[in-house]
Protein backbone atom coordinates (compact mmCIF):
# COMPACT_ATOMS: atom_id res chain seq x y z
CA UNK A 1 0.00 0.00 0.00
CA UNK A 2 1.13 3.57 -0.70
CA UNK A 3 1.78 5.53 2.49
CA UNK A 4 0.55 9.15 2.41
CA UNK A 5 -0.19 11.93 4.87
CA UNK A 6 -3.63 12.11 6.42
CA UNK A 7 -4.51 15.44 4.76
CA UNK A 8 -3.43 14.04 1.38
CA UNK A 9 -5.69 11.03 1.79
CA UNK A 10 -8.58 13.25 2.89
CA UNK A 11 -8.12 15.35 -0.25
CA UNK A 12 -8.09 12.19 -2.39
CA UNK A 13 -11.31 10.99 -0.74
CA UNK A 14 -13.02 14.33 -1.41
CA UNK A 15 -12.02 14.21 -5.07
CA UNK A 16 -13.13 10.63 -5.47
CA UNK A 17 -16.44 11.46 -3.81
CA UNK A 18 -16.86 14.32 -6.28
CA UNK A 19 -16.10 12.01 -9.23
CA UNK A 20 -18.62 9.46 -7.95
CA UNK A 21 -21.30 12.16 -7.62
CA UNK A 22 -20.59 13.28 -11.18
CA UNK A 23 -20.83 9.64 -12.27
CA UNK A 24 -17.34 9.75 -13.76
CA UNK A 25 -16.36 6.60 -11.85
CA UNK A 26 -18.49 4.01 -10.01
CA UNK A 27 -18.50 3.74 -6.20
CA UNK A 28 -16.70 0.38 -6.33
CA UNK A 29 -13.81 1.94 -8.25
CA UNK A 30 -13.56 4.76 -5.71
CA UNK A 31 -13.32 2.26 -2.85
CA UNK A 32 -10.75 0.23 -4.79
CA UNK A 33 -8.54 3.30 -5.27
CA UNK A 34 -8.82 4.31 -1.61
CA UNK A 35 -7.79 0.80 -0.54
CA UNK A 36 -4.41 1.34 -2.24
CA UNK A 37 -3.47 4.13 0.18
CA UNK A 38 -2.59 4.01 3.85
CA UNK A 39 -2.02 6.74 6.43
CA UNK A 40 0.95 6.25 8.70
CA UNK A 41 0.85 8.82 11.45
CA UNK A 42 4.16 10.12 12.71
CA UNK A 43 4.51 11.19 16.35
CA UNK A 44 3.51 14.83 16.68
CA UNK A 45 4.46 17.01 19.65
CA UNK A 46 1.26 19.02 19.23
CA UNK A 47 -0.91 15.91 19.11
CA UNK A 48 0.85 14.47 22.15
CA UNK A 49 0.24 17.63 24.17
CA UNK A 50 -3.41 17.82 23.14
CA UNK A 51 -4.22 14.15 23.71
CA UNK A 52 -2.41 13.89 27.04
CA UNK A 53 -4.08 17.14 28.07
CA UNK A 54 -7.52 15.79 27.21
CA UNK A 55 -6.84 12.64 29.24
CA UNK A 56 -5.69 14.67 32.24
CA UNK A 57 -8.74 16.95 32.03
CA UNK A 58 -11.03 13.95 31.76
CA UNK A 59 -9.36 12.27 34.73
CA UNK A 60 -9.62 15.48 36.76
CA UNK A 61 -13.31 16.02 35.97
CA UNK A 62 -14.22 12.42 36.72
CA UNK A 63 -12.14 12.44 39.90
CA UNK A 64 -13.98 15.59 41.07
CA UNK A 65 -17.37 14.04 40.31
CA UNK A 66 -16.48 10.74 41.99
CA UNK A 67 -15.13 12.44 45.13
CA UNK A 68 -18.30 14.50 45.55
CA UNK A 69 -20.66 11.81 44.25
CA UNK A 70 -22.50 11.25 47.51
CA UNK A 71 -23.27 14.96 47.95
CA UNK A 72 -24.86 15.48 44.52
CA UNK A 73 -28.52 14.67 43.87
CA UNK A 74 -29.36 12.01 41.28
CA UNK A 75 -30.97 14.36 38.71
CA UNK A 76 -28.00 16.72 38.93
CA UNK A 77 -25.56 13.81 38.62
CA UNK A 78 -27.23 12.59 35.47
CA UNK A 79 -27.42 16.08 33.92
CA UNK A 80 -23.80 16.75 34.84
CA UNK A 81 -22.61 13.63 33.01
CA UNK A 82 -24.75 14.41 29.95
CA UNK A 83 -23.65 18.05 29.97
CA UNK A 84 -19.94 17.22 30.01
CA UNK A 85 -20.39 14.55 27.32
CA UNK A 86 -22.37 16.75 24.91
CA UNK A 87 -20.15 19.72 25.72
CA UNK A 88 -17.01 17.82 24.69
CA UNK A 89 -18.54 16.65 21.42
CA UNK A 90 -20.05 20.06 20.62
CA UNK A 91 -16.69 21.76 21.21
CA UNK A 92 -14.98 19.16 19.04
CA UNK A 93 -17.52 19.78 16.28
CA UNK A 94 -17.05 23.56 16.40
CA UNK A 95 -13.24 23.32 16.27
CA UNK A 96 -13.17 20.64 13.58
CA UNK A 97 -12.71 22.93 10.58
CA UNK A 98 -10.04 25.31 11.88
CA UNK A 99 -8.34 23.27 14.63
CA UNK A 100 -8.66 19.58 13.67
CA UNK A 101 -6.07 18.31 16.17
CA UNK A 102 -7.62 20.17 19.09
CA UNK A 103 -11.02 19.03 17.88
CA UNK A 104 -9.98 15.38 18.07
CA UNK A 105 -8.69 15.83 21.59
CA UNK A 106 -12.18 16.97 22.65
CA UNK A 107 -13.76 14.01 20.86
CA UNK A 108 -11.39 11.66 22.70
CA UNK A 109 -12.29 13.39 25.95
CA UNK A 110 -15.94 12.76 25.11
CA UNK A 111 -15.19 9.06 24.61
CA UNK A 112 -13.62 8.89 28.07
CA UNK A 113 -16.51 10.75 29.67
CA UNK A 114 -19.02 8.49 27.91
CA UNK A 115 -17.37 5.35 29.30
CA UNK A 116 -17.03 6.77 32.79
CA UNK A 117 -20.67 7.93 32.62
CA UNK A 118 -21.81 4.36 31.96
CA UNK A 119 -20.12 3.12 35.14
CA UNK A 120 -21.31 6.09 37.22
CA UNK A 121 -24.93 5.78 36.03
CA UNK A 122 -24.88 2.06 36.80
CA UNK A 123 -23.72 2.88 40.32
CA UNK A 124 -26.24 5.71 40.70
CA UNK A 125 -29.31 3.69 39.70
CA UNK A 126 -27.98 0.37 41.10
CA UNK A 127 -28.19 -1.29 37.70
CA UNK A 128 -26.99 -4.88 37.90
CA UNK A 129 -24.51 -6.39 35.50
CA UNK A 130 -20.84 -7.19 35.20
CA UNK A 131 -18.05 -4.78 34.36
CA UNK A 132 -17.66 -6.55 31.00
CA UNK A 133 -21.26 -5.68 30.13
CA UNK A 134 -20.53 -1.99 30.66
CA UNK A 135 -17.61 -2.27 28.23
CA UNK A 136 -20.02 -3.67 25.64
CA UNK A 137 -22.20 -0.55 25.82
CA UNK A 138 -19.11 1.64 25.79
CA UNK A 139 -18.00 -0.05 22.56
CA UNK A 140 -21.46 0.30 21.04
CA UNK A 141 -21.70 3.98 21.93
CA UNK A 142 -18.42 5.02 20.30
CA UNK A 143 -18.75 2.97 17.10
CA UNK A 144 -20.92 5.62 15.35
CA UNK A 145 -18.42 8.32 16.34
CA UNK A 146 -15.57 6.25 14.87
CA UNK A 147 -17.53 6.02 11.61
CA UNK A 148 -18.46 9.71 11.42
CA UNK A 149 -14.94 10.91 12.28
CA UNK A 150 -13.32 8.02 10.38
CA UNK A 151 -11.01 7.74 13.36
CA UNK A 152 -8.98 4.54 13.70
CA UNK A 153 -8.09 5.17 17.38
CA UNK A 154 -11.70 5.34 18.51
CA UNK A 155 -12.37 2.22 16.45
CA UNK A 156 -9.44 0.50 18.13
CA UNK A 157 -10.90 1.42 21.52
CA UNK A 158 -14.25 -0.08 20.46
CA UNK A 159 -12.47 -3.30 19.43
CA UNK A 160 -10.61 -3.51 22.75
CA UNK A 161 -13.82 -2.94 24.73
CA UNK A 162 -15.66 -5.66 22.80
CA UNK A 163 -12.79 -8.07 23.53
CA UNK A 164 -12.96 -7.20 27.23
CA UNK A 165 -16.71 -7.84 27.15
CA UNK A 166 -16.45 -11.34 25.73
CA UNK A 167 -13.92 -12.30 28.43
CA UNK A 168 -16.80 -12.36 30.91
CA UNK A 169 -16.57 -15.52 33.02
CA UNK A 170 -20.16 -16.54 32.21
CA UNK A 171 -19.22 -16.75 28.52
CA UNK A 172 -15.85 -18.42 29.01
CA UNK A 173 -17.41 -21.05 31.28
CA UNK A 174 -20.04 -21.88 28.67
CA UNK A 175 -23.15 -20.70 30.49
CA UNK A 176 -24.39 -18.75 27.46
CA UNK A 177 -23.25 -18.02 23.89
CA UNK A 178 -23.09 -14.24 23.21
CA UNK A 179 -24.31 -14.35 19.61
CA UNK A 180 -24.88 -10.58 19.58
CA UNK A 181 -21.13 -10.00 19.69
CA UNK A 182 -21.03 -11.13 16.06
CA UNK A 183 -22.76 -7.85 15.14
CA UNK A 184 -19.97 -5.90 16.86
CA UNK A 185 -17.26 -8.00 15.23
CA UNK A 186 -18.79 -7.51 11.77
CA UNK A 187 -19.26 -3.77 12.31
CA UNK A 188 -15.68 -3.26 13.52
CA UNK A 189 -14.34 -5.33 10.62
CA UNK A 190 -16.37 -3.30 8.11
CA UNK A 191 -15.36 0.06 9.58
CA UNK A 192 -11.71 -0.99 9.78
CA UNK A 193 -11.76 -1.79 6.08
CA UNK A 194 -13.57 1.43 5.16
CA UNK A 195 -11.76 3.95 7.36
CA UNK A 196 -8.08 3.04 7.01
CA UNK A 197 -7.11 -0.53 7.79
CA UNK A 198 -5.34 -0.85 11.12
CA UNK A 199 -3.43 -4.07 11.76
CA UNK A 200 -3.82 -3.68 15.52
CA UNK A 201 -7.60 -3.27 15.27
CA UNK A 202 -7.78 -6.23 12.89
CA UNK A 203 -5.72 -8.33 15.30
CA UNK A 204 -7.87 -7.38 18.33
CA UNK A 205 -11.05 -8.04 16.37
CA UNK A 206 -9.66 -11.42 15.31
CA UNK A 207 -8.97 -12.28 18.96
CA UNK A 208 -12.57 -11.35 19.80
CA UNK A 209 -13.86 -13.73 17.12
CA UNK A 210 -11.59 -16.50 18.43
CA UNK A 211 -12.87 -15.87 21.96
CA UNK A 212 -16.43 -16.12 20.64
CA UNK A 213 -15.62 -19.50 19.11
CA UNK A 214 -14.23 -20.49 22.51
CA UNK A 215 -17.56 -19.64 24.16
CA UNK A 216 -19.34 -21.98 21.72
CA UNK A 217 -16.92 -24.82 22.55
CA UNK A 218 -17.31 -24.17 26.28
CA UNK A 219 -21.11 -24.08 25.93
CA UNK A 220 -21.23 -27.64 24.57
CA UNK A 221 -18.57 -28.88 26.99
CA UNK A 222 -20.59 -27.37 29.85
CA UNK A 223 -23.58 -29.51 28.80
CA UNK A 224 -21.72 -32.67 27.82
CA UNK A 225 -19.24 -33.18 30.62
CA UNK A 226 -17.76 -36.34 29.13
CA UNK A 227 -15.79 -34.15 26.72
CA UNK A 228 -12.29 -33.45 27.97
CA UNK A 229 -11.98 -29.66 28.03
CA UNK A 230 -8.31 -28.91 27.13
CA UNK A 231 -7.75 -31.16 24.13
CA UNK A 232 -11.08 -30.26 22.47
CA UNK A 233 -10.17 -26.58 22.59
CA UNK A 234 -6.64 -27.35 21.42
CA UNK A 235 -7.67 -29.39 18.37
CA UNK A 236 -10.32 -26.89 17.23
CA UNK A 237 -8.02 -23.89 17.55
CA UNK A 238 -5.23 -25.84 15.87
CA UNK A 239 -7.49 -26.42 12.85
CA UNK A 240 -8.53 -22.74 12.80
CA UNK A 241 -4.94 -21.54 12.97
CA UNK A 242 -3.77 -23.85 10.19
CA UNK A 243 -6.76 -22.82 8.09
CA UNK A 244 -5.82 -19.13 8.43
CA UNK A 245 -2.22 -19.88 7.45
CA UNK A 246 -3.30 -21.68 4.28
CA UNK A 247 -5.55 -18.76 3.34
CA UNK A 248 -2.46 -16.63 2.85
CA UNK A 249 -2.93 -14.39 -0.17
CA UNK A 250 -6.71 -14.40 0.21
CA UNK A 251 -6.83 -12.62 3.57
CA UNK A 252 -4.78 -9.80 5.11
CA UNK A 253 -1.38 -10.63 6.55
CA UNK A 254 -2.41 -9.77 10.10
CA UNK A 255 -4.93 -12.64 10.04
CA UNK A 256 -2.27 -15.01 8.68
CA UNK A 257 -0.01 -13.94 11.56
CA UNK A 258 -2.91 -14.58 13.94
CA UNK A 259 -3.22 -18.04 12.40
CA UNK A 260 0.44 -18.82 13.19
CA UNK A 261 -0.04 -17.58 16.73
CA UNK A 262 -3.22 -19.63 17.24
CA UNK A 263 -1.94 -22.94 15.90
CA UNK A 264 1.38 -22.45 17.72
CA UNK A 265 -0.29 -21.89 21.10
CA UNK A 266 -2.77 -24.73 20.46
CA UNK A 267 0.05 -27.10 19.54
CA UNK A 268 2.00 -26.12 22.65
CA UNK A 269 -1.07 -26.98 24.75
CA UNK A 270 -1.51 -30.32 22.97
CA UNK A 271 2.16 -31.21 23.48
CA UNK A 272 1.52 -31.85 27.19
CA UNK A 273 0.38 -35.25 28.40
CA UNK A 274 -2.12 -33.82 30.89
CA UNK A 275 -4.04 -32.12 28.06
CA UNK A 276 -5.24 -35.47 26.70
CA UNK A 277 -7.71 -37.89 28.34
CA UNK A 278 -6.06 -40.52 30.51
CA UNK A 279 -6.73 -43.45 28.18
CA UNK A 280 -4.99 -41.69 25.25
CA UNK A 281 -2.36 -39.79 27.21
CA UNK A 282 0.32 -41.13 24.86
CA UNK A 283 -1.22 -39.05 22.04
CA UNK A 284 0.86 -36.01 23.03
CA UNK A 285 3.99 -37.76 21.70
CA UNK A 286 2.42 -38.74 18.38
CA UNK A 287 0.86 -35.30 17.99
CA UNK A 288 4.13 -33.50 18.76
CA UNK A 289 6.03 -35.54 16.16
CA UNK A 290 3.40 -34.90 13.49
CA UNK A 291 3.30 -31.20 14.33
CA UNK A 292 7.08 -30.90 14.12
CA UNK A 293 6.94 -32.46 10.64
CA UNK A 294 4.25 -29.93 9.73
CA UNK A 295 6.51 -27.10 10.93
CA UNK A 296 9.39 -28.40 8.80
CA UNK A 297 7.01 -28.36 5.84
CA UNK A 298 6.12 -24.70 6.51
CA UNK A 299 9.78 -23.80 7.00
CA UNK A 300 10.60 -25.37 3.65
CA UNK A 301 7.88 -23.14 2.17
CA UNK A 302 9.77 -20.11 3.58
CA UNK A 303 8.02 -19.40 6.89
CA UNK A 304 10.22 -17.65 9.46
CA UNK A 305 7.36 -17.65 11.95
CA UNK A 306 7.36 -21.46 11.81
CA UNK A 307 11.06 -21.40 12.80
CA UNK A 308 10.14 -19.45 15.92
CA UNK A 309 7.36 -21.91 16.78
CA UNK A 310 9.73 -24.84 16.16
CA UNK A 311 12.29 -23.30 18.53
CA UNK A 312 9.60 -22.86 21.20
CA UNK A 313 8.49 -26.50 20.83
CA UNK A 314 12.05 -27.84 21.03
CA UNK A 315 12.81 -25.65 24.05
CA UNK A 316 9.59 -26.82 25.73
CA UNK A 317 10.65 -30.49 25.45
CA UNK A 318 14.18 -29.64 26.46
CA UNK A 319 12.97 -28.09 29.71
CA UNK A 320 10.58 -30.99 30.32
CA UNK A 321 13.32 -33.59 30.01
CA UNK A 322 16.35 -31.72 31.35
CA UNK A 323 14.79 -30.67 34.66
CA UNK A 324 14.18 -34.35 35.42
CA UNK A 325 17.68 -35.61 34.61
CA UNK A 326 20.19 -32.73 34.68
CA UNK A 327 21.49 -30.44 37.45
CA UNK A 328 19.96 -26.98 37.32
CA UNK A 329 23.25 -25.31 36.35
CA UNK A 330 23.51 -27.50 33.24
CA UNK A 331 19.87 -26.85 32.42
CA UNK A 332 20.46 -23.09 32.28
CA UNK A 333 23.77 -23.35 30.41
CA UNK A 334 22.48 -25.73 27.74
CA UNK A 335 19.23 -23.74 27.53
CA UNK A 336 21.21 -20.56 26.89
CA UNK A 337 23.28 -22.27 24.21
CA UNK A 338 20.09 -23.52 22.54
CA UNK A 339 18.56 -20.04 22.54
CA UNK A 340 21.73 -18.54 21.05
CA UNK A 341 21.72 -21.26 18.39
CA UNK A 342 18.05 -20.59 17.60
CA UNK A 343 18.76 -16.87 17.31
CA UNK A 344 21.73 -17.43 15.00
CA UNK A 345 19.76 -19.83 12.80
CA UNK A 346 16.80 -17.45 12.65
CA UNK A 347 19.00 -14.51 11.61
CA UNK A 348 20.81 -16.68 9.05
CA UNK A 349 17.54 -17.82 7.48
CA UNK A 350 16.23 -14.25 7.44
CA UNK A 351 19.32 -12.99 5.60
CA UNK A 352 19.28 -15.97 3.28
CA UNK A 353 15.64 -15.68 2.28
CA UNK A 354 14.87 -11.98 2.71
CA UNK A 355 11.88 -11.15 0.57
CA UNK A 356 10.84 -14.80 0.46
CA UNK A 357 10.29 -15.59 4.11
CA UNK A 358 7.57 -14.02 6.20
Amino acid sequence: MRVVKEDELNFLRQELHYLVEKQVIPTEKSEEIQALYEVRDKPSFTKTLLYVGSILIGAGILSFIASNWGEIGKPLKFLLILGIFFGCNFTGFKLERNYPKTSKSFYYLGVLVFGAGIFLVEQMFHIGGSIQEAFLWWSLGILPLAWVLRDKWILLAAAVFSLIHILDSSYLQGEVIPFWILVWIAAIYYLNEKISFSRVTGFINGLTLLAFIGTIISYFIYRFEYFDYPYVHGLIYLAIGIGLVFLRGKIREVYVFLGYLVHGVAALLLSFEDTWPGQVGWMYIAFSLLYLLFLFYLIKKGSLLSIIILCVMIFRFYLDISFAFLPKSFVFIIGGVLLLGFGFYFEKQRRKGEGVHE
Side-chain angles (χ1 to χ4, degrees):
M1 297 178 70
R2 181 174 173 80
V3 179
V4 296
K5 295 179 181 178
E6 187 173 2
D7 56 348
E8 293 174 341
L9 184 58
N10 288 334
F11 174 76
L12 176 64
R13 284 172 177 160
Q14 291 172 3
E15 292 302 303
L16 289 172
H17 181 68
Y18 172 77
L19 293 174
V20 170
E21 282 187 338
K22 294 296 183 180
Q23 298 182 344
V24 176
I25 60 173
T27 304
E28 294 76 15
K29 191 64 179 178
S30 170
E31 293 174 353
E32 183 182 340
I33 294 173
Q34 291 183 52
L36 298 174
Y37 294 84
E38 178 184 22
V39 175
R40 186 167 296 169
D41 291 331
K42 294 183 179 180
S44 166
F45 181 70
T46 304
K47 283 185 178 180
T48 303
L49 285 179
L50 290 170
Y51 297 163
V52 172
S54 65
I55 292 172
L56 291 176
I57 292 172
I61 292 173
L62 297 174
S63 175
F64 172 77
I65 294 174
S67 61
N68 296 278
W69 196 242
E71 301 174 11
I72 305 173
K74 286 185 179 180
L76 185 57
K77 291 176 183 177
F78 189 67
L79 291 174
L80 188 61
I81 293 170
L82 286 180
I84 296 173
F85 172 69
F86 285 114
C88 290
N89 285 283
F90 179 77
T91 305
F93 174 74
K94 284 294 185 182
L95 295 175
E96 195 169 333
R97 182 181 295 273
N98 297 320
Y99 303 96
K101 294 178 182 178
T102 307
S103 170
K104 278 198 173 182
S105 68
F106 275 97
Y107 282 127
Y108 294 159
L109 178 57
V111 168
L112 293 174
V113 171
F114 178 75
I118 292 173
F119 291 100
L120 292 173
V121 168
E122 279 189 350
Q123 180 187 354
M124 180 172 60
F125 294 106
H126 306 289
I127 300 172
S130 63
I131 293 176
Q132 281 88 351
E133 189 175 344
F135 278 106
L136 177 70
W137 294 112
W138 195 353
S139 176
L140 174 64
I142 64 178
L143 268 179
L145 185 63
W147 169 245
V148 171
L149 297 179
R150 307 184 83 79
D151 190 284
K152 63 180 182 180
W153 298 111
I154 297 178
L155 185 62
L156 173 59
V160 171
F161 297 155
S162 64
L163 177 60
I164 293 173
H165 166 72
I166 205 169
L167 296 179
D168 191 299
S169 59
S170 63
Y171 302 148
L172 296 179
Q173 293 172 7
E175 296 176 16
V176 64
I177 301 175
F179 285 107
W180 56 86
I181 200 68
L182 288 175
V183 178
W184 269 259
I185 294 171
I188 292 170
Y189 176 84
Y190 176 80
L191 293 180
N192 196 31
E193 292 286 342
K194 290 295 181 182
I195 293 174
S196 176
F197 185 80
S198 165
R199 296 182 183 90
V200 179
T201 302
F203 183 80
I204 296 296
N205 205 37
L207 288 179
T208 305
L209 181 57
L210 290 170
F212 170 75
I213 294 171
T215 65
I216 297 175
I217 303 170
S218 298
Y219 178 83
F220 287 102
I221 289 174
Y222 181 75
R223 278 150 183 77
F224 305 102
E225 296 181 0
Y226 55 83
F227 279 117
D228 193 83
Y229 178 84
Y231 93 95
V232 174
H233 272 80
L235 288 174
I236 293 175
Y237 279 115
L238 179 75
I240 292 171
I242 292 174
L244 289 173
V245 169
F246 281 108
L247 285 173
R248 181 180 177 84
K250 298 180 181 179
I251 57 177
R252 290 187 180 272
E253 284 299 312
V254 66
Y255 302 121
V256 177
F257 172 77
L258 186 59
Y260 277 104
L261 182 64
V262 170
H263 80 64
V265 172
L268 189 64
L269 173 68
L270 292 168
S271 69
F272 288 93
E273 184 178 2
D274 294 339
T275 301
W276 299 85
Q279 61 272 25
V280 290
W282 54 269
M283 277 292 294
Y284 84 99
I285 299 176
F287 167 80
S288 299
L289 291 174
L290 289 172
Y291 185 70
L292 289 175
L293 291 174
F294 172 68
L295 288 178
F296 282 121
Y297 165 77
L298 293 179
I299 292 170
K300 188 177 179 182
K301 290 286 187 180
S303 170
L304 282 179
L305 289 173
S306 296
I307 296 176
I308 297 174
I309 298 172
L310 177 64
C311 294
V312 172
M313 291 292 290
I314 293 173
F315 197 68
R316 165 258 178 282
F317 279 104
Y318 162 74
L319 291 177
D320 196 25
I321 296 170
S322 60
F323 267 113
F325 299 103
L326 294 175
K328 288 185 179 179
S329 56
F330 283 104
V331 172
F332 291 123
I333 292 171
I334 298 173
V337 171
L338 278 174
L339 289 176
L340 287 173
F342 291 153
F344 172 75
Y345 179 70
F346 183 78
E347 184 178 8
K348 181 181 177 182
Q349 289 297 106
R350 190 169 186 176
R351 286 176 175 271
K352 180 181 176 182
E354 190 171 1
V356 177
H357 292 75
E358 294 146 6

